């Protein structure tokens, strides 16, 4: 049994998993982390199922933004204390759990971007510019540069402004 004595091997087979395991992941974060992320996941399922609801997708977008902030706070508060606790017993499980939580946090802004695009597709009217290029289907706001102004008033003003300029003076 890989260097374990008989009594240690029997103890590992008969003992239940340590209290830090739920579903094979280390529970280094509090239950509020789990409830927050699972509730936003439920709102996301609702937002995708209700294709005509702008409110559902807006709630999902705001919820994702809030969980980004709460995840950062949870990581900052609970990582160092849990690292020492899991160092001797389940170091690899703890590292995997931390890695998955960080990956989830990294992907949340990407999810926010796509949810914001869905919000615009459904007719959302908040004009928030994140600095990302967007794909617009509305071409009615553009003005063609090939069409000449029929009245010619702007061209006449320009010509009048040029004619009224004083030239160089000679003595």
């Amino acid at each position: 049994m890989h260097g374990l004595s008989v009594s240690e091997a029997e103890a590992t087979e008969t003992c239940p998993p340590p209290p830090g395991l739920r579903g094979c992941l280390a529970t280094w974060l509090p239950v509020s982390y789990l409830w927050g992320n699972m509730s936003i996941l439920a709102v996301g399922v609702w937002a995708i199922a209700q294709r005509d609801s702008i409110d559902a997708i807006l709630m999902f977008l705001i919820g994702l933004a809030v969980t980004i902030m709460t995840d950062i706070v949870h990581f900052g508060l609970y990582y160092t204390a849990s690292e020492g606790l899991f160092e001797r017993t389940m170091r690899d499980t703890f590292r995997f759990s931390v890695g998955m939580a960080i990956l989830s946090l990294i992907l949340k802004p990407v999810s926010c971007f796509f949810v914001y695009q869905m919000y615009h597709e459904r007719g959302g009217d908040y004009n928030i510019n994140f600095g990302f290029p967007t794909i617009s289907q509305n071409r009615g706001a553009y003005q063609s540069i090939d069409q000449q102004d029929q009245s010619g008033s702007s061209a006449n003003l320009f010509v009048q402004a040029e004619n009224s300029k004083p030239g160089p003076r000679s003595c």
Side-chain angles (χ1 to χ4, degrees), residues 53-69:
S53 176
I54 296 174
D55 296 334
I57 201 78
L58 182 63
M59 285 178 59
F60 184 46
L61 180 62
I62 292 171
L64 276 174
V66 168
T67 57
I68 289 171
M69 300 307 294

Side-chain angles (χ1 to χ4, degrees), residues 75-155:
F75 294 168
L77 291 176
Y78 293 100
Y79 178 77
T80 54
S82 298
E83 186 179 25
L85 177 68
F86 289 105
E87 186 63 35
R88 284 180 258 140
T89 57
M90 303 176 304
R91 190 179 91 194
D92 294 334
T93 306
F94 175 71
R95 284 183 174 177
F96 179 76
S97 178
V98 170
M100 290 297 107
I102 291 172
L103 180 65
S104 172
L105 180 62
I106 289 171
L107 291 178
K108 280 184 182 180
V110 175
S111 298
C112 282
F113 175 73
F114 288 118
V115 169
Y116 184 70
Q117 292 297 322
M118 286 175 58
Y119 177 70
H120 272 291
E121 288 173 4
R122 293 185 185 186
D125 58 351
Y126 290 117
N127 293 326
I128 301 171
N129 187 4
F130 292 121
F132 298 120
T134 59
I135 300 170
S136 176
Q137 299 295 331
N138 184 9
R139 306 245 186 232
Y142 292 109
Q143 191 176 37
S144 175
I145 59 171
D146 292 335
Q147 295 176 351
Q148 294 291 329
D149 190 11
Q150 300 298 335
S151 65
S153 62
S154 61

